[in-house]
Amino acid sequence: MSALAPLPALLAAVAALAPAAWPAVPLSAEYTLPFVGPGTYLIFGIVLAPVYAMVAAWFLGDPSDRFAGLLGVGYLAGLTTVLWGSLFVATLIIGAVFF
């Protein structure tokens, strides 16, 4: 007998209880918060994980150069600011022209 033998019975019991016990979750945009959604967690938690590791390695790795690390953080902050600023300006222009 394997350790996964009770799993199908457990899944069947959960599936039988699901429609009655769980509240209905609307799948519309009104349910989601304006900024924090699943995509936010995906981008900042998973997609940017290599960037976090890179920045940590700049300061914690061997050999580490504090000036080069701060220069890299400055470049990342500058690139991010330019990206988000240009997207904000483009959004304002699109809103003024088309809406």
Side-chain angles (χ1 to χ4, degrees):
M1 181 170 193
S2 71
L4 297 177
L7 187 60
L10 179 64
L11 290 176
V14 169
L17 292 175
W22 294 350
V25 177
L27 299 176
S28 65
E30 293 86 19
Y31 181 72
T32 60
L33 296 175
F35 179 72
V36 178
T40 303
Y41 295 118
L42 177 70
I43 290 173
F44 287 101
I46 297 173
V47 174
L48 290 178
V51 176
Y52 303 147
M54 177 184 68
V55 172
W58 285 345
F59 293 102
L60 303 175
D62 188 35
S64 65
D65 185 5
R66 184 174 298 225
F67 177 74
L70 291 175
L71 189 63
V73 169
Y75 282 143
L76 286 176
L79 287 172
T80 305
T81 303
V82 167
L83 176 70
W84 282 101
S86 62
L87 285 174
F88 177 70
V89 170
T91 303
L92 290 178
I93 291 172
I94 289 171
V97 170
F98 294 106
F99 298 103

